[in-house]
Amino acid sequence: MNRLKIGVIGLGRLGRIHTTNLVQHVPEAEVKILADPRVEETEEWGRNLGDFEIVADWHIPLKDPEIDAVVIASPTTLHGEMLKEAVKAGKHVFMEKPLAHDLETAKELFETLSNVSVKIQIAFNRRFDHNFRKIKSFIDSGKLGEVHLIRTTSRDPHLPDIEFVKKSGGIFFDFMIHEFDTARFLTGSEVVEVYAGGSVLLDPRIGEAGDFDTAYAMLKMENGAICVIDVSRKAVYGYDQRVEVFGSKGSARAENDRETNVIMSTEEAVCTDKPLYYFPQRYMKSFANEIEAFVESVLEEKPVSVGVEAGYRSILIARAADVSARENRPVRIAELL
């Protein structure tokens, strides 16, 4: 196999990002089919990017014998069905997080798809980000010693559409799930206990939908490390993405990426650029890195770095966080197994 022929299912924001990266940054891949019910809108968008076959039915790329792999970037509620059908069709799969919209489905997918012959990669792009990878290298090299404490902050620059909130599965499943995977990634350990909570401080409609717009979680890891997470649906100054790891030999901290790192100091103030506005700007390179790694795994027959287990474990932690917030108590992961 010289080039991987790919079909993309779901051409929303992330589907378009993955398609663009495949076309512009991964010469070993060829995007053949785009599947999305909004055919005219997809045709207009893709016109200047490539010569694609554009279809409404997501089953079509799965039936095409020329397609080696699919990218699934559909709404979360469709992930489980599409993943099972893609595997049944013998296609390798790169799928957006989360693995599923509920724990039961995620567990079923983990149990049935962990040892299939095709590659399945879950898109936790922060594992491929330059800042997170640098800190991970310090941990793995022993420079920080034994990891004692991790602190992560994630805050969006603006509120999501309320219809998205209603379908998202909640702030722990759709938003904080990145932090849950980051905790496992950085510590190399599993979460054993979760204590979480949340408030509705930004938009009462989010509370009416049964969700929070501001939340926290404290994770106790199997190796004894502690992870403290805070998230918000709105930071007026931009996309706030920070992480700190404190260990027995020192600490490492990643601040926000900015347009420049220039700091101007005057009598009136010390000023710098705001954080990059949102995830398409902040994490664009990581999106390219992760899809490139997937193509490489398939072509070189190597294991994927983020598989179905990582997807399942993050859902498991999210469920524990949701139960904790609703019942105002610590939740042991063992309760949910």
Side-chain angles (χ1 to χ4, degrees), residues 138-298:
F138 290 151
I139 295 170
D140 291 346
S141 68
K143 291 182 178 179
L144 302 183
E146 183 182 78
V147 174
H148 292 171
L149 182 68
I150 295 176
R151 184 182 300 273
T152 69
T153 291
S154 184
R155 301 166 187 164
D156 278 359
H158 57 77
L159 287 170
D161 184 272
I162 192 62
E163 293 306 313
F164 168 81
V165 173
K166 292 176 181 177
K167 300 174 183 177
S168 69
I171 198 167
F172 298 114
F173 285 87
D174 180 75
F175 194 142
M176 202 184 286
I177 199 164
H178 276 294
E179 277 64 45
F180 298 149
D181 184 68
T182 295
R184 296 183 65 247
F185 172 59
L186 292 179
T187 63
S189 184
E190 298 297 344
V191 175
V192 295
E193 186 175 273
V194 181
Y195 182 67
S199 294
V200 181
L201 302 173
L202 300 169
D203 187 339
R205 294 178 301 168
I206 292 177
E208 292 165 8
D211 199 10
F212 307 110
D213 55 41
T214 308
Y216 66 87
M218 290 178 282
L219 314 179
K220 184 178 290 186
M221 312 303 293
E222 193 172 38
N223 63 4
I226 295 171
C227 183
V228 181
I229 300 166
D230 74 81
V231 301
S232 173
R233 291 284 192 186
K234 183 180 180 182
V236 296
Y237 49 84
Y239 195 42
D240 194 352
Q241 300 285 290
R242 289 172 284 139
V243 59
E244 179 187 14
V245 175
F246 172 76
S248 58
K249 292 183 179 179
S251 68
R253 182 175 70 249
E255 297 293 342
N256 288 305
D257 280 357
R258 306 172 191 275
E259 189 68 32
T260 74
N261 61 3
V262 174
I263 300 173
M264 182 181 71
S265 302
T266 68
E267 183 178 358
E268 290 79 20
V270 176
C271 301
T272 186
D273 289 347
K274 290 181 180 180
L276 294 176
Y277 184 69
Y278 204 16
F279 73 87
Q281 295 80 32
R282 168 64 181 81
Y283 285 116
M284 187 55 73
K285 180 60 177 173
S286 71
F287 290 129
N289 289 342
E290 67 175 350
I291 201 79
E292 185 177 25
F294 168 70
V295 171
E296 181 181 307
S297 293
V298 175

Side-chain angles (χ1 to χ4, degrees), residues 101-114:
H101 66 288
D102 62 80
L103 178 58
E104 292 71 25
T105 302
K107 184 176 182 180
E108 177 201 350
L109 293 171
F110 171 59
E111 291 175 346
T112 59
L113 301 179
S114 292

